[in-house]
Amino acid sequence: MKRFLDIVLLLVCVLALAVFFAQVEIQIEGNAGWGADLPTWRWEDHWVLDLFWGGRAMTGYHAWVFPFMFIIFHFGFVLTQRWSRWLEARALASLMLFWATEDFLWFVLNPAFGLARFDAVHVPWHKHWWLGAPVDYWVFGSLACVLLWYSFFRMPRETAAAPVETPP
């Protein structure tokens, strides 16, 4: 039961972060998704973007916000001075779920879009769609499930129950 509650708590926290960050991005970007109207540099139409970025443009905004969120999701390791491959898997899974959820919520919560305009016609910066959603959502969602399973069900019980040492 504790493991189930731990998973639910993690997912609720990731969802809360995604809701708040989606609202921040809605305030920043308005109706111009993927930083289209932001006063920053844009790098478009390059094979590297196709390979690593799903064909989307790389902007100065995204070049800073993606590593920022990576650091946020790993900051607990610095605070607790505790790391393991299971916790790393959990952090990466949480980050993947965060980005997919936050991106979806950007459309749902954005008055300029809404769920009705969540499709390949109205969202040209997501170039690859499958079953009504960007392929990124399916890839990140699947990888996140595998990583969460590993982090919660493959971690030795003694590691999960180990007390965190208090500083002297």
Side-chain angles (χ1 to χ4, degrees):
M1 184 65 170
K2 181 181 180 331
R3 187 178 288 160
F4 174 76
L5 292 176
D6 289 344
I7 294 169
V8 168
L9 178 62
L10 177 72
L11 295 176
V12 166
C13 286
V14 169
L15 176 62
L17 286 168
V19 167
F20 277 84
F21 199 74
Q23 287 292 351
V24 168
E25 283 204 323
I26 290 166
Q27 301 308 311
I28 292 170
E29 295 176 320
N31 65 351
W34 205 254
D37 289 343
L38 294 181
T40 186
W41 56 265
R42 277 181 95 71
W43 186 33
E44 299 190 60
D45 301 322
H46 194 278
W47 67 269
V48 172
L49 297 173
D50 294 336
L51 186 62
F52 295 107
W53 214 240
R56 291 181 298 275
M58 170 58 91
T59 69
Y61 170 76
H62 293 98
W64 285 100
V65 79
F66 276 86
F68 174 76
M69 292 310 295
F70 180 87
I71 292 168
I72 292 295
F73 275 83
H74 286 80
F75 194 60
F77 299 142
V78 176
L79 288 176
T80 63
Q81 297 184 1
R82 184 174 179 202
W83 181 90
S84 71
R85 63 181 181 261
W86 300 283
L87 292 174
E88 180 65 33
R90 196 171 298 171
L92 292 174
S94 298
L95 182 62
M96 290 178 198
L97 288 175
F98 165 80
W99 279 125
T101 306
E102 184 275 336
D103 191 73
F104 177 69
L105 289 172
W106 186 92
F107 297 102
V108 173
L109 301 174
N110 192 329
F113 276 87
L115 197 53
R117 295 185 63 201
F118 182 67
D119 57 39
V121 173
H122 295 100
V123 187
W125 56 92
H126 279 297
K127 301 191 185 297
H128 310 288
W129 290 70
W130 186 59
L131 297 177
V135 170
D136 297 355
Y137 294 10
W138 298 105
V139 172
F140 283 158
S142 299
L143 285 171
C145 286
V146 169
L147 290 170
L148 284 176
W149 171 82
Y150 175 77
S151 77
F152 279 104
F153 296 99
R154 300 303 298 167
M155 181 186 333
R157 291 210 184 267
E158 60 275 4
T159 303
V164 176
E165 293 181 27
T166 56

